């Protein structure tokens, strides 16, 4: 009976168009934020931070960016891993070139550099679409990874070909390097995720998001009614690449500490983020979170259950983990082709009417 709209009156246009129209949803949102910022840092350990929480936060940012491009603008992309690499290498070069610049601004600048690269590789979307555009972005994946591994300037002529993040601090606490604590790493990733999710939600509800959705639904009709396809598509590539570049910079500097393009940002990263978007739900901010949780948190918890609870060998558990996760993906897509976000919306709609049948 708590999940009801009855008695929740709206007296302004802003209240009528807010993201969470039901009071229960708003309170739940604030409660989750308070729990994430105030409670989790008190109990988080190095294992939970490195294995589950921090990867989930970083991949959720990448899934948000890709969902803006595919789910909201309808432009297929298979180059997410390469754009994450652009963010990582831009972050590394900026950290080396400007050691006095705060790491927060370094990550934002790395995202802006990635946005420029995304616009460059988004130019083919003006002439091609669908699977042809997917192949074009897949070519970008192979080209950029080849460029980062074969051009010594990007890794400062290191003999190993790897890039390493030096120690940087925010408010006196190390967030990169070997001295960074799990709490500081968690908080900076959480702050970026919350800020970018807020930005994505406002973009999709505004003029730019409506132009993206018009291009997605029918680009010819959108152009007839005054939507500029050039600006709409390129802005989608720019914003999406910015999000993905920030996630790549965080993945390298805050999480890994050292990376090599071929190993850390291969094509498997592109498919992993794409699966997050598809499983979570296209055209949904919540879907990016649900997809990242399903494909990052789910396998780890499943492995812990098989190894620690049932005592199975780790190699057998790893193979079963892949099989079970794959079967669950197929099951979810059969039960709800629009992803976990649509399934969650259906559950909420039923709760709003429960216990009445209609």
């Amino acid at each position: 009976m708590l999940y009801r709209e009855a008695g929740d009156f709206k007296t302004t246009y802003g209240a009528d168009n807010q993201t969470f129209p039901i009071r229960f949803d708003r309170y739940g949102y604030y409660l989750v934020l308070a729990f994430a910022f105030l409670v989790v840092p008190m109990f988080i350990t190095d294992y939970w931070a490195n294995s589950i929480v921090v990867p989930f936060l970083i991949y959720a940012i990448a899934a948000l960016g890709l969902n803006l491009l595919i789910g909201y603008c309808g432009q297929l992309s298979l180059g997410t891993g390469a754009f994450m690499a652009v963010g990582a290498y831009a972050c590394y070069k900026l950290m080396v070139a400007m050691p006095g610049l705060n790491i927060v601004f370094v990550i934002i600048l790395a995202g802006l550099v990635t946005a420029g690269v995304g616009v460059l590789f988004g130019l083919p979307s003006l002439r091609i679409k669908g699977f042809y555009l997917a192949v074009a972005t897949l070519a970008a994946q192979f080209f950029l990874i080849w460029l980062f591994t074969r051009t010594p300037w990007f890794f400062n002529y290191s003999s190993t070909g790897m890039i390493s993040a030096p120690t940087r601090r925010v408010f006196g606490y190390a967030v990169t390097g070997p001295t960074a604590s799990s709490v500081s790493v968690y908080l900076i990733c959480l702050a970026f995720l919350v800020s970018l999710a807020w930005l994505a939600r406002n973009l999709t509800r505004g003029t730019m998001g409506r132009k993206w959705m018009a291009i997605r639904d029918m680009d010819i009709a959108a152009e007839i009614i005054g939507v500029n396809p050039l600006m709409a598509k390129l802005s989608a590539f720019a914003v999406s690449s910015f999000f993905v570049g920030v996630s790549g910079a965080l993945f390298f500097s805050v999480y890994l500490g050292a990376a090599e393009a071929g190993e850390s940002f291969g094509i498997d990263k592109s498919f992993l983020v794409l699966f997050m978007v598809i499983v979570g739900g296209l055209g949904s901010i919540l879907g990016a979170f649900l997809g990242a949780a399903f494909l990052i948190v789910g396998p780890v918890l499943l492995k812990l259950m098989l190894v620690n609870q049932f005592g199975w060998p780790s190699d057998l558990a790893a193979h079963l983990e892949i099989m079970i996760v794959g079967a669950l993906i197929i099951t979810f897509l059969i039960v709800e082709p629009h992803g976990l976000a649509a399934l969650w919306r259906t559950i909420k709609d039923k709760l709003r009417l429960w216990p009445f049948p209609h």
Side-chain angles (χ1 to χ4, degrees), residues 162-184:
M162 297 184 66
I163 55 176
S164 301
T167 301
R168 292 292 183 269
R169 300 179 181 273
V170 176
F171 299 119
Y173 296 96
V175 295
T176 64
T179 59
S181 65
S182 58
V183 175
S184 59

Side-chain angles (χ1 to χ4, degrees), residues 48-336:
W48 283 94
N50 295 326
S51 300
I52 298 179
V53 181
V54 174
F56 161 72
L57 298 176
I58 294 174
Y59 279 110
I61 296 175
L64 271 174
L66 187 60
N67 210 345
L68 292 178
L69 183 63
I70 299 179
Y72 284 95
C73 196
Q75 307 300 304
L76 293 178
S77 174
L78 295 177
T80 310
F83 294 130
M84 289 181 69
V86 173
Y89 278 80
C91 178
Y92 170 70
K93 296 298 291 186
L94 289 169
M95 292 175 76
V96 173
M98 294 180 284
L101 187 62
N102 190 281
I103 184 63
V104 175
F105 297 107
V106 168
I107 293 172
I108 294 174
L109 288 175
L112 293 175
V113 171
T114 312
V117 177
V119 169
L120 179 64
F121 284 99
L123 289 174
S125 66
L126 305 177
R127 299 296 299 272
I128 58 178
K129 62 178 67 174
F131 292 110
Y132 298 98
L133 180 59
V135 172
T137 55
L138 184 62
Q141 167 76 37
F142 291 117
F143 171 74
L144 289 173
I145 296 302
W146 173 86
L147 183 67
F148 290 137
T149 54
R150 299 297 181 182
T151 307
W153 180 82
F154 287 107
F155 47 84
N156 277 5
Y157 304 93
S158 171
S159 59
T160 60
M162 297 184 66
I163 55 176
S164 301
T167 301
R168 292 292 183 269
R169 300 179 181 273
V170 176
F171 299 119
Y173 296 96
V175 295
T176 64
T179 59
S181 65
S182 58
V183 175
S184 59
V185 168
Y186 163 76
L187 286 177
I188 190 172
C189 292
L190 179 63
F192 268 103
L193 176 59
V194 172
S195 302
L196 292 177
W198 174 84
L199 176 62
R201 181 58 179 168
N202 283 276
L203 284 174
T204 54
R205 284 161 55 91
T207 303
M208 185 178 293
R210 296 179 188 275
K211 291 180 180 179
W212 292 346
M213 288 182 277
I215 292 293
R216 175 196 65 189
D217 295 337
M218 190 173 291
D219 54 351
I220 297 177
E223 187 174 3
I224 291 173
I225 64 175
V227 176
N228 187 341
L230 169 67
M231 297 304 298
K233 291 181 179 181
L234 292 186
S235 63
F237 269 97
V239 175
S240 171
S241 300
F242 174 78
F243 278 61
V244 174
V246 169
S247 70
L250 289 171
F251 190 72
F252 152 68
S253 62
V254 176
Y255 179 58
L256 293 179
E260 193 272 333
E263 294 292 332
S264 302
F265 304 103
I267 193 173
D268 57 319
K269 288 288 186 295
S270 298
F271 284 112
L272 177 62
V273 180
L274 179 63
F275 292 156
M276 290 178 187
V277 173
I278 294 175
V279 172
L282 291 170
S284 170
I285 301 298
L286 177 64
F289 290 87
L290 296 178
F294 183 83
L295 290 176
I296 297 299
V297 181
V300 175
L301 297 180
L302 183 61
K303 183 178 180 180
L304 289 176
M305 182 182 68
L306 293 177
V307 176
N308 296 343
Q309 298 296 326
F310 297 108
W312 290 6
S314 58
D315 54 346
L316 177 62
H319 292 296
L320 287 175
E321 168 195 328
I322 297 175
M323 296 171 59
I324 293 173
V325 171
L328 287 175
I329 291 175
I330 296 174
T331 302
F332 276 122
L333 292 181
I334 292 174
V335 174
E336 182 50 77

Side-chain angles (χ1 to χ4, degrees), residues 5-22:
E5 291 178 278
D8 196 356
F9 301 109
K10 312 295 190 303
T11 57
T12 62
Y13 287 112
D16 195 44
N17 293 319
Q18 58 189 332
T19 302
F20 301 105
I22 300 177

